[in-house]
Amino acid sequence: MSDPRALDIPGLVRQISEANATIQTMLSGQIDAVVDSARRTPILLSDAQDALRESEERYRLIVETANEGIWTVDGDADITFVNRRFADMLGYDPEEMLGRSLFVFVSDAARARTWLQSGDSSRASAEHELGFVRRDGSELWALLRTTAIRNADGERIGVLAMMTDRSRRRQDEAALRKSEEQYRQIVETTTDGIVKSDALARILFVNRRFAEMLGFAPEEMIGVSLYAFMSDAARVVAADAFQRRGQGIHELIDTSFLHKNGTEIAVNIAGSPLFDAAGVYVGNLGMIRDVTDRKKLQAQLLASDRMASVGILAAGVAHEINNPLTAVVANLDYIADSVSGTAEADASSMRPRGSEAWFQKEIKEPLDDAREAAQQVQFIVRDLKIFSHSAGDEPRGPVDVEATMESSLRMGWNEIRHRARLVKQYSSVPAVRANDARLGQVFLNLVVNAAQAIPEGQAQSNEICVSTRLEGQRVLVEVSDTGPGMPPEIVERVFDAFFTTKAAGVGTGLGLAICRHIVNDLGGELSVRSEMGKGATFRVALPIAIPEEPTTHAPEQQPVAGRRGRILLVDDEVLVLRSVQRMLAKEHEVVAMSGAKDALQLCAAGERFDLILCDLMMPDMTGMDLHGELARIAPEQANRMLFLTGGAFTANAQRFLTETPMKHLEKPFDPANLRAIVGRLIQ
Amino acid sequence: MAPNAANAPAKVTLRLRLYVAGNAPNSLRAIANARTICERHFAATHELEIIDLLKHPAQAVADGIIVTPTLLRLLPLPEQRVVGNLSDTQQVLFALDSE
């Protein structure tokens, strides 16, 4: 055992060989762990190797998946590494680029050489812009960040560069701007209002539409509490809604906002809560739809529904009244006729008290009153019919403007009489081509509007004037009032749907819009002129009817004293049957039948008549059916038919009357008129 | 740990201490090799102590261990070290027999 301090050559040799053996052993991989003497802990080599492998893998992954192109060159500018991204950028495979000079791939080699060689040694990294050439020859502008690679002596042995495609970034920025622009456009042009508010309901954003809805500029609303734009009732609804929003509930609610001018705007809101990244409630997003018009429309639909029901009812009532009314009128006339005729023939028997005055007072006057009252009922029923025509097939024909206006005035009389005197200035005008029901509706609307423009109670100092006159090929009908008149901005809008100046509940704001629609539909025009303090005048201009179309209601008053004819009378109403028979029996032979089938049998058996008076609408077999059958078996008899109509036409009956040249008389008819027509036809 | 130490404590002429790192492959091989060599060549006169570096790092540091496996010859002096999995038997015997 030698002193370790003594110079012992063999010992030294042995130590060296031992150290060598140790190193060899270590290098041959026979080591499991190393002791970190500074920390006094063992490090397992397997762990360290795993970590190293992982770390290498991680870096490789980063380099290969990086969005940047990464490459290294050596001191001669030969490429020593490229990642896939860089190769893709230039359209090559990475293997194709390795070992080649960087200058092959740049568009300006001199410039590249300059910055590669003059590489700023004082700075760790630098930024450059450099043009590259792709495989297909196109140029790529790239932004490079370079780092010098140095050896252990600090000597520059190469450059590491990371580069981004500038052109691509420019495209991305453009796409982003476009997308933002798109969203902005959607938000600003949508017909829905959009509002964003914070957790305390303060407005953070409103789009133009929502601001317009409430009559403000968007800037005026930012930072203001949403509650400031609500009525007390709406605030209660909103407070509830915001609370639910805080609980994360999305929902649709119906509520209202206040317009700047104080009117209430009915809205439907789709509310969504907003949360930040941490899930904390930070506010609300609301999509607001103005449903004011929709609500008005709903109310109007309800009202028009009711009107339609009333119309159907009125049509039915008119039909039911017409038949007995025909009997009343016919019999009153018959009595009046008989009494005066008898009076002339045999004075003593019909005037027991022998007094002309007594006859006048006790017989003639009551009969005339009854006749007049019956006539009034007749008018009322006809008016009802005019206003209750069902929509759908609406035949147009010559319409007597004056008669239609008279009907409308009677209908509207209750509105007029407490407010104004009525002045009529009719000139004799030709019939217009129209539909009497629709035209009557327009006139009634204008008349009632005129009346409602005038306050109640000063009927003597106010005036409603209706006038008719011919102007070229048009008939002008004017309705003017002495009401307060309208300023220009209201005149502009009176024909707009839903526009009304009347108090809620009085007008729906659809009347004049519908009137204009109807008049335009008839080929006419509806216009207005008005000034403040000077009342208003509405004018309907309508084309006149084509002259050759005869008016069906034209009365023919001349009594015809002609030959005695043979008449077949067909009506299912026994009262009507008997009255008409009585009315005509003095002048003609009348065969009365209460059913079309019996009448048909009669004709089929060879009976012939000068005239067939026939009710149009009958159960079992209608007048139209009878006409059809007769046209088949006895065409000359079919041509001798005159129809009696009681109203409440079906669409079929309407078409029948307009499409065939048959004459018809409307119940209740004037007995004198009937006799005159019958006389003329038999002649 | 040292089965033969109890049988013949008085005759011990070779005292060995093997540092290993848990169940790492070279450590397991070193333990097997050390036992085989001792049985064959120093059957009655050796004492082999095996210490896990992972469990007793402080002792390893005290013994100046840098890597494992390391076989320490504590007796006879001078102290000798063999690094590795001890599969080179000639080399191990040379180290253990040397003065």
Side-chain angles (χ1 to χ4, degrees):
Chain A
M1 274 195 257
S2 57
D3 180 348
R5 284 165 302 182
L7 186 61
D8 170 8
I9 298 301
L12 207 57
V13 169
R14 189 173 53 89
Q15 277 184 18
I16 289 170
S17 78
E18 249 181 48
N20 268 336
T22 302
I23 289 165
Q24 285 301 319
T25 313
M26 287 172 81
L27 292 179
S28 67
Q30 294 182 14
I31 309 302
D32 285 332
V34 175
V35 178
D36 178 349
S37 52
R39 293 189 197 149
R40 301 178 159 247
T41 52
I43 300 165
L44 274 174
L45 283 187
S46 56
D47 287 353
Q49 277 160 354
D50 285 350
L52 187 63
R53 253 198 314 281
E54 268 173 35
S55 159
E56 269 173 8
E57 181 66 20
R58 204 159 41 234
Y59 280 113
R60 204 186 56 77
L61 206 68
I62 290 168
V63 166
E64 285 304 334
T65 59
N67 211 23
E68 282 86 16
I70 299 172
W71 48 265
T72 57
V73 291
D74 61 18
D76 299 326
D78 288 338
I79 294 171
T80 51
F81 172 81
V82 297
N83 72 344
R84 178 148 291 282
R85 177 89 188 98
F86 180 59
D88 284 349
M89 276 179 184
L90 298 188
Y92 291 93
D93 278 335
E95 296 74 29
E96 293 178 288
M97 303 181 75
L98 286 176
R100 298 176 70 184
S101 167
L102 177 70
F103 303 134
V104 173
F105 303 99
V106 299
S107 56
D108 186 345
R111 187 180 140 89
R113 195 183 304 274
T114 311
W115 69 251
L116 261 185
Q117 287 173 351
S118 72
D120 189 340
S121 52
S122 68
R123 275 159 54 188
S125 70
E127 266 188 20
H128 312 269
E129 256 195 22
L130 191 63
F132 286 83
V133 181
R134 293 198 186 90
R135 172 174 242 155
D136 63 13
S138 61
E139 196 174 47
L140 167 82
W141 270 96
L143 182 74
L144 289 115
R145 192 184 304 273
T146 56
T147 309
I149 302 173
R150 295 172 194 282
N151 66 10
D153 299 330
E155 208 177 319
R156 235 169 93 106
I157 54 165
V159 171
L160 168 77
M162 299 178 69
M163 57 178 252
T164 50
D165 182 344
R166 289 280 279 192
S167 36
R168 182 193 167 88
R169 192 155 131 193
R170 271 201 290 273
Q171 282 165 11
D172 288 351
E173 280 167 2
L176 186 65
R177 263 199 308 277
K178 196 172 156 192
S179 150
E180 273 174 356
E181 175 69 13
Q182 239 164 24
Y183 277 112
R184 207 184 56 77
Q185 242 175 27
I186 291 168
V187 165
E188 287 304 335
T189 59
T190 175
T191 53
D192 284 349
I194 297 175
V195 61
K196 188 178 163 184
S197 55
D198 67 13
L200 298 172
R202 278 181 310 229
I203 296 174
L204 300 172
F205 170 83
V206 292
N207 70 344
R208 184 153 295 283
R209 175 75 187 110
F210 184 52
E212 277 169 7
M213 229 182 256
L214 303 188
F216 291 92
E219 311 81 74
E220 291 180 286
M221 299 179 72
I222 306 296
V224 182
S225 168
L226 257 176
Y227 289 112
F229 304 96
M230 296 175 195
S231 66
D232 289 343
R235 277 184 199 129
V236 175
V237 175
D240 269 9
F242 284 138
Q243 198 176 355
R244 283 193 300 278
R245 225 56 78 244
Q247 294 158 11
I249 298 170
H250 298 250
E251 63 182 342
L252 281 171
I253 56 171
D254 284 313
T255 177
S256 64
F257 282 105
L258 285 179
H259 189 272
K260 195 176 190 175
N261 67 16
T263 55
E264 203 157 65
I265 312 287
V267 294
N268 177 261
I269 304 181
S272 307
L274 298 173
F275 297 95
D276 65 10
V280 178
Y281 171 66
V282 292
N284 266 293
L285 187 65
M287 308 279 287
I288 298 131
R289 186 157 294 180
D290 183 346
V291 295
T292 314
D293 284 357
R294 199 164 76 195
K295 290 229 154 140
K296 280 185 183 166
L297 190 63
Q298 273 167 357
Q300 170 59 22
L301 281 176
L302 279 178
S304 70
D305 235 32
R306 269 201 305 275
M307 287 305 290
S309 315
V310 170
I312 290 164
L313 189 66
V317 169
H319 183 65
E320 293 303 319
I321 291 175
N322 270 333
N323 282 317
L325 191 58
T326 304
V328 169
V329 171
N331 286 318
L332 281 172
D333 268 37
Y334 179 77
I335 293 168
D337 240 31
S338 310
V339 171
S340 60
T342 315
E344 278 152 29
D346 184 0
S348 63
S349 67
M350 283 310 292
R351 272 180 275 180
R353 310 285 154 88
S355 150
E356 181 74 28
W358 175 87
F359 175 76
Q360 192 68 26
K361 188 166 176 292
E362 297 298 323
I363 308 281
K364 185 80 167 50
E365 279 180 18
L367 265 179
D368 284 350
D369 284 356
R371 182 69 178 74
E372 200 181 322
Q375 183 122 41
Q376 270 174 19
V377 174
Q378 196 177 330
F379 281 140
I380 293 168
V381 170
R382 200 172 64 203
D383 292 343
L384 271 180
K385 258 162 57 191
I386 284 184
F387 290 97
S388 63
H389 269 318
S390 53
D393 292 335
E394 289 189 332
R396 290 181 195 166
V399 172
D400 182 348
V401 170
E402 194 178 313
T404 308
M405 178 57 88
E406 282 294 308
S407 287
S408 299
L409 289 173
R410 277 194 295 275
M411 298 285 283
W413 181 237
N414 261 329
E415 294 286 332
I416 301 170
R417 64 178 178 187
H418 301 299
R419 295 179 157 103
R421 285 175 293 118
L422 180 61
V423 177
K424 300 177 193 174
Q425 294 172 350
Y426 296 136
S427 40
S428 139
V429 293
V432 295
R433 187 176 146 70
N435 172 278
D436 55 356
R438 291 289 153 255
L439 196 56
Q441 195 183 350
V442 171
F443 289 166
L444 178 63
N445 233 299
L446 297 182
V447 166
V448 170
N449 271 345
Q452 287 177 346
I454 299 167
E456 265 181 89
Q458 291 164 327
Q460 276 317 301
S461 51
N462 281 301
E463 191 178 292
I464 288 174
C465 178
V466 297
S467 66
T468 62
R469 68 174 192 276
L470 186 63
E471 190 188 86
Q473 290 297 298
R474 299 193 309 172
V475 171
L476 303 185
V477 182
E478 291 192 342
V479 178
S480 50
D481 64 70
T482 55
M486 297 175 281
E489 62 269 22
I490 288 182
V491 170
E492 262 174 38
R493 299 187 58 196
V494 285
F495 296 114
D496 290 357
F498 305 117
F499 178 81
T500 183
T501 56
K502 294 173 189 171
V506 175
T508 54
L510 269 176
L512 282 171
I514 287 179
C515 284
R516 174 169 263 189
H517 180 76
I518 292 170
V519 174
N520 287 347
D521 210 37
L522 294 171
E525 277 171 33
L526 174 58
S527 56
V528 61
R529 53 177 198 276
S530 178
E531 270 179 60
M532 285 306 285
K534 294 193 177 171
T537 300
F538 283 85
R539 171 193 283 185
V540 183
L542 292 163
I544 61 174
I546 306 150
E548 54 266 25
E549 284 185 62
T551 40
T552 44
H553 307 300
E556 304 187 30
Q557 294 292 355
Q558 303 91 332
V560 178
R563 74 180 181 91
R564 192 173 171 80
R566 190 159 191 260
I567 298 172
L568 174 61
L569 178 63
V570 190
D571 199 311
D572 60 319
E573 290 284 333
V574 179
L575 262 179
V576 174
L577 204 61
R578 280 213 305 265
S579 309
V580 175
Q581 189 177 19
R582 202 173 285 143
M583 211 185 280
L584 297 172
K586 279 181 194 160
E587 290 152 14
H588 307 283
E589 181 196 346
V590 179
V591 178
M593 289 284 155
S594 62
K597 279 182 178 160
D598 296 342
L600 184 62
Q601 269 177 9
L602 219 54
C603 294
E607 298 267 353
R608 288 296 177 265
F609 300 92
D610 296 310
L611 182 65
I612 300 173
L613 281 177
C614 182
D615 189 15
L616 193 62
M617 303 302 294
M618 288 179 288
D620 277 2
M621 187 178 187
T622 68
M624 294 174 279
D625 297 335
L626 178 60
H627 178 264
E629 288 297 311
L630 283 180
R632 205 165 51 78
I633 64 166
E636 101 287 349
Q637 290 288 291
N639 287 336
R640 290 177 181 272
M641 290 182 83
L642 172 63
F643 291 102
L644 308 174
T645 61
F649 287 157
T650 61
N652 261 346
Q654 293 264 17
R655 208 173 306 120
F656 177 75
L657 288 177
T658 47
E659 285 175 6
T660 59
M662 309 304 298
K663 284 244 168 204
H664 70 277
L665 269 179
E666 290 213 16
K667 291 178 190 173
F669 30 75
D670 180 56
N673 197 16
L674 175 67
R675 276 203 299 271
I677 292 172
V678 166
R680 202 166 53 81
L681 288 174
I682 284 175
Q683 216 63 41
Chain B
M1 259 199 174
N4 297 318
N7 293 346
K11 296 179 189 168
V12 167
T13 54
L14 180 66
R15 179 172 290 167
L16 300 173
R17 186 177 287 165
L18 176 63
Y19 279 95
V20 294
N23 293 323
N26 284 317
S27 296
L28 292 180
R29 197 163 301 139
I31 293 170
N33 286 335
R35 285 196 177 136
T36 308
I37 291 169
C38 288
E39 290 300 328
R40 283 204 189 141
H41 302 278
F42 317 102
T45 59
H46 80 280
E47 184 183 292
L48 177 61
E49 184 184 11
I50 298 174
I51 296 178
D52 188 347
L53 168 71
L54 303 181
K55 287 178 185 158
H56 308 285
Q59 194 179 348
V61 171
D63 274 336
I65 299 298
I66 298 167
V67 298
T68 62
T70 296
L71 183 65
L72 269 186
R73 188 186 75 178
L74 300 173
L75 277 178
L77 288 173
E79 193 184 283
Q80 296 280 6
R81 305 171 176 239
V82 181
V83 172
N85 59 22
L86 313 182
S87 41
D88 186 347
T89 308
Q90 288 310 310
Q91 194 66 36
V92 176
L93 286 175
F94 174 76
L96 295 184
D97 282 338
S98 66
E99 286 294 310

